[in-house]
Amino acid sequence: MIEKHIRKVFAQESATPRPVGGKREPVEGTRNICDCRRFFKKNRKELKATQIEILKNELTECCLTHIQDSYRVHLNRLRGLEILDQLITLSTIDKIYSELAVHMIWACLSCVHHFLLRIKSETGLIQWLRRQKVTSSNVNRTSDVLNFRRQARRSIKIYDKLLLFLTPSYYTTALNAIITFYEEANIWDIEYFCSNLLQRLLIRSEEKNRIESIHEILSLVENSTLTNSIVSRQILQVLFAVEESLNWSVMNDKLADRFLEIYYRSLTPENLHDYNYESLEEGLETCIRAMSMHFTEKQLMFMIKWMLKVTEMEKISEDNLLNFGSLLEHITVLYISKAYKRPLLEQVFPQIVKLIGSNNLVYSLLGNRVLHDLIDRCNNKLKFNTPRLFFRNSHYNIVLNHYNTSDKLLFQRYRELLHKTFVAAVIKHGIHKIHLENIYVSIVLFLVEIPCGYTAAAAVCLAMSIQTAALESKHIELTHAHRLHATVVSIMSLVCYIHKADVFYDYVNTIIQRRANYAPHLNPPLKMHYKYAQHHILWNKPELFFEDWEARYGLWKCFKEKHKDMIVAHV
């Protein structure tokens, strides 16, 4: 409730429309009055250096000196606003020096803080009086609160005038003074207060100064981790609120790189680090997720490259990799949503394939999931969550992509590497059902995203290699082998379904039927535990598995007929 009142004060002052220069347009019928005021303003005498020094000392005494008497403090703050208004109105920027600028900022912040606190305390008292049903003093108290709100709005108005007066000449001085005030007053926990006043300064500066300001606040976050992790998180919350209010427009590659670097260090704590980053992990992840929502394709690709590069080093623990991987997937999905019709990205392809081939199960799983997000442009991923049989004359709501020639060329360049990587991955990690399912999704997504004869032949070749590994490897357990064979037949049936390969379909259906009768454990779905009947065949009977020449003939027959149709249509 109190936060609502404070926000209302800021909002009411911010909502007043003003043209460039901060001057209001005169209301019709008051032009003569405005002209008179302008005449007297022009004829006002500017303050001399001695007068400015006297006002500075009085301002220090009114706003920057500790007093116990709360009523006198209130009177001093009112006087402080009058002095600030005089200094802004009756002096020029060339007569202001750094020390005076700092004192003016501190005094103004002290006034704003004071009046907002009065709103807070008086609002709480009114609520208490209402609960106690003390009606006689309610009217007076309510009028007091309204008066404090007017004074608070006036203090914010003076603060805006002061910033307009001091910038750009004393922009850096003003920023440092505001930060110092927050630190000395220990008010970083008042998020809306701190962020709103900082935002009012940033919007009055050039882009270069804004970027440097965010860098300085980030440095403050880092330094505070050495003394108080709670304060460091509070400062990061204020920084988040400032950037969020500006839609993360104060950002460039260097600043994004710094956010990512600090986040990475929070996940990989080492003694060599200068700061204690661990406490910032959640806050930094929130910042990166929020900023990525406003980034362009180029900026998102920069983040994807950066994250894949550090992932290759495999220094992140498996627990932390879950959060890091989730963030990487989030950014990848955002990129694809903005680059929907772009060809597949060769610039990150080698890194992803290398990640899939990792000896670490979790890293390999992350590589597959990132690959899914990058190549799944027709939203087929959820339709292939586990190996299944694709029967002829059935409909599975699978969307085939109209691929670019560049996509096919990219697949051709990396086909051999993909083949070796996927075969090695299913042997090393395929014992885990979830990992085998993710590799399966990677394989079949290429089939539907680049539905051509080349990807069909490559997928069948890969499936035959997986079958050979399952039959011949001595390190693959029986359950693992069953799942691999079920995956192989699922890939074969999908190739037939996509390309309507009738001859190949006949052969695949023959294998499926034989297995259904004598070895159903070799067909999908994948199971955690398999049960066998007395007549089930558990040895590698050749009739239950695919033969290489049969698969080759089925593909040849399919694409030979299609080639004939294309020639006839052309003629």
Side-chain angles (χ1 to χ4, degrees):
M1 186 68 181
I2 294 167
E3 177 75 9
K4 181 180 177 181
H5 285 298
I6 294 177
R7 285 175 181 267
K8 189 180 294 185
V9 171
F10 276 108
Q12 285 175 344
E13 179 55 35
S14 301
T16 307
R18 295 167 185 263
V20 177
K23 296 179 181 179
R24 299 181 189 270
E25 290 292 334
V27 180
E28 189 176 353
T30 60
R31 188 174 300 277
N32 292 333
I33 297 174
C34 293
D35 290 341
C36 291
R37 286 177 179 173
R38 197 176 295 114
F39 173 78
F40 284 114
K41 188 173 181 181
K42 286 181 180 178
N43 288 274
R44 285 180 181 176
K45 293 183 179 179
E46 292 184 1
L47 294 173
K48 297 180 180 178
T50 53
Q51 293 174 313
I52 291 175
E53 194 64 27
I54 292 171
L55 288 175
K56 174 201 165 187
N57 293 333
E58 187 179 356
L59 184 66
T60 303
E61 185 178 349
C62 287
C63 299
L64 303 177
T65 305
H66 180 68
I67 303 174
Q68 293 289 346
D69 187 350
S70 60
Y71 180 67
R72 190 178 170 191
V73 168
H74 183 66
L75 294 178
N76 283 348
R77 296 299 184 271
L78 290 173
R79 174 58 184 155
L81 290 178
E82 293 176 1
I83 295 172
L84 285 168
D85 199 20
Q86 279 184 285
L87 288 171
I88 295 167
T89 307
L90 302 178
S91 61
T92 55
I93 193 65
D94 57 310
K95 291 186 179 180
I96 304 298
Y97 49 95
S98 294
E99 184 184 353
L100 176 57
V102 170
H103 279 71
M104 291 172 73
I105 289 288
W106 286 349
C108 193
L109 289 173
S110 177
C111 293
V112 174
H113 185 238
H114 167 77
F115 290 117
L116 290 177
L117 282 180
R118 292 294 290 241
I119 292 175
K120 177 179 177 180
S121 60
E122 290 296 329
T123 303
L125 182 57
I126 286 178
Q127 291 172 354
W128 180 82
L129 288 171
R130 286 173 179 169
R131 286 196 299 269
Q132 300 297 322
K133 299 181 180 179
V134 182
T135 57
S136 58
S137 58
N138 281 359
V139 176
N140 294 331
R141 287 295 183 180
T142 303
S143 62
D144 288 344
V145 170
L146 293 175
N147 192 31
F148 292 143
R149 287 180 186 171
R150 284 193 293 270
Q151 292 164 351
R153 286 195 293 272
R154 183 182 173 221
S155 66
I156 296 169
K157 181 179 177 181
I158 296 292
Y159 176 77
D160 287 336
K161 288 176 64 176
L162 178 59
L163 293 180
L164 194 63
F165 177 65
L166 294 178
T167 56
S169 303
Y170 289 98
Y171 174 81
T172 304
T173 303
L175 176 67
N176 292 332
I178 293 171
I179 291 175
T180 303
F181 182 87
Y182 290 170
E183 287 183 311
E184 294 297 324
N186 194 22
I187 57 172
W188 285 108
D189 57 320
I190 311 176
E191 179 187 320
Y192 187 78
F193 173 84
C194 295
S195 63
N196 191 282
L197 296 182
L198 274 173
Q199 176 202 349
R200 288 168 183 268
L201 174 65
L202 290 177
I203 59 178
R204 287 174 171 79
S205 64
E206 299 175 353
E207 184 178 359
K208 181 181 177 182
N209 288 335
R210 294 184 191 181
I211 296 291
E212 290 176 355
S213 301
I214 300 299
H215 273 294
E216 190 165 342
I217 298 173
L218 261 182
S219 298
L220 184 62
V221 171
E222 290 181 314
N223 292 327
S224 61
T225 60
L226 298 174
T227 54
N228 192 327
S229 61
I230 296 176
V231 172
S232 65
R233 290 197 295 270
Q234 290 171 350
I235 301 173
L236 188 60
Q237 283 179 316
V238 170
L239 176 57
F240 173 83
V242 170
E243 284 280 20
E244 192 72 9
S245 65
L246 299 172
N247 293 323
W248 294 90
S249 58
V250 187
M251 188 61 59
N252 59 10
D253 287 349
K254 187 176 179 181
L255 190 53
D257 178 84
R258 189 173 180 190
F259 268 99
L260 289 168
E261 181 66 33
I262 297 175
Y263 177 61
Y264 175 69
R265 292 187 178 187
S266 72
L267 297 173
T268 56
E270 296 179 2
N271 294 329
L272 298 176
H273 291 166
D274 297 328
Y275 305 101
N276 302 321
Y277 294 108
E278 296 92 323
S279 62
L280 302 176
E281 177 192 340
E282 293 183 6
L284 288 167
E285 182 181 345
T286 303
C287 288
I288 295 171
R289 283 182 182 273
M291 73 173 71
S292 63
M293 297 291 288
H294 301 276
F295 275 10
T296 61
E297 294 176 30
K298 184 179 178 181
Q299 290 172 312
L300 290 171
M301 180 45 58
F302 168 81
M303 296 179 77
I304 292 171
K305 286 181 180 178
W306 195 99
M307 297 181 79
L308 285 172
K309 183 179 178 181
V310 298
T311 308
E312 285 182 2
M313 296 184 283
E314 298 191 6
K315 290 184 178 180
I316 307 174
S317 66
E318 292 186 2
D319 291 337
N320 289 333
L321 187 63
L322 296 176
N323 294 330
F324 186 85
S326 174
L327 180 59
L328 176 55
E329 286 188 67
H330 171 75
I331 295 171
T332 305
V333 170
L334 286 176
Y335 174 81
I336 291 301
S337 67
K338 296 184 179 183
Y340 178 75
K341 295 184 179 179
R342 296 285 181 91
L344 297 177
L345 295 167
E346 185 171 6
Q347 48 192 326
V348 296
F349 213 75
Q351 293 172 297
I352 295 173
V353 176
K354 184 177 179 181
L355 201 58
I356 293 172
S358 172
N359 291 323
N360 187 298
L361 171 66
V362 182
Y363 279 88
S364 180
L365 183 61
L366 174 60
N368 276 291
R369 293 182 68 87
V370 174
L371 180 62
H372 302 167
D373 294 328
L374 278 177
I375 67 176
D376 182 28
R377 290 169 293 188
C378 295
N379 300 317
N380 288 308
K381 180 172 64 173
L382 296 179
K383 299 165 189 174
F384 299 119
N385 58 347
T386 189
R388 60 185 295 183
L389 295 175
F390 296 89
F391 295 102
R392 185 166 17 199
N393 301 324
S394 298
H395 185 66
Y396 297 97
N397 294 321
I398 297 171
V399 180
L400 299 182
N401 187 27
H402 299 286
Y403 63 92
N404 297 317
T405 306
S406 57
D407 291 345
K408 183 177 177 179
L409 293 174
L410 175 65
F411 184 82
Q412 288 175 342
R413 279 195 294 273
Y414 288 96
R415 187 204 67 80
E416 187 176 351
L417 178 60
L418 285 168
H419 181 98
K420 293 178 180 178
T421 302
F422 284 138
V423 172
V426 296
I427 293 173
K428 283 185 291 189
H429 308 304
I431 191 171
H432 302 281
K433 181 173 175 285
I434 185 173
H435 195 276
L436 181 58
E437 288 172 339
N438 275 273
I439 296 173
Y440 166 77
V441 173
S442 297
I443 296 169
V444 298
L445 281 178
F446 279 114
L447 286 173
V448 295
E449 289 295 329
I450 314 174
C452 63
Y454 189 85
T455 54
V460 170
C461 181
L462 176 60
M464 294 302 296
S465 297
I466 294 173
Q467 177 180 274
T468 302
L471 291 171
E472 298 179 358
S473 177
K474 297 179 180 179
H475 305 291
I476 295 179
E477 298 176 0
L478 190 61
T479 301
H480 183 189
H482 294 342
R483 292 173 184 164
L484 293 183
H485 290 303
T487 303
V488 168
V489 72
S490 176
I491 294 171
M492 296 291 198
S493 65
L494 180 61
V495 170
C496 297
Y497 175 80
I498 292 173
H499 298 284
K500 296 179 172 56
D502 291 332
V503 174
F504 195 15
Y505 237 140
D506 292 337
Y507 175 61
V508 171
N509 285 339
T510 300
I511 299 296
I512 293 172
Q513 190 60 43
R514 289 174 187 169
R515 290 181 175 183
N517 293 330
Y518 301 105
H521 46 272
L522 301 179
N523 282 336
L526 307 186
K527 297 180 180 178
M528 294 300 296
H529 303 285
Y530 288 91
K531 295 180 180 180
Y532 311 105
Q534 192 170 11
H535 69 283
H536 286 173
I537 298 174
L538 298 180
W539 59 282
N540 297 334
K541 187 176 181 179
E543 289 81 0
L544 298 174
F545 303 100
F546 293 97
E547 293 190 31
D548 187 63
W549 72 269
E550 288 277 14
R552 288 174 182 269
Y553 176 76
L555 286 174
W556 173 79
K557 193 71 175 173
C558 169
F559 292 104
K560 181 185 177 184
E561 295 297 328
K562 285 193 174 183
H563 184 64
K564 283 183 179 179
D565 293 341
M566 289 172 63
I567 293 174
V568 171
H570 180 70
V571 173

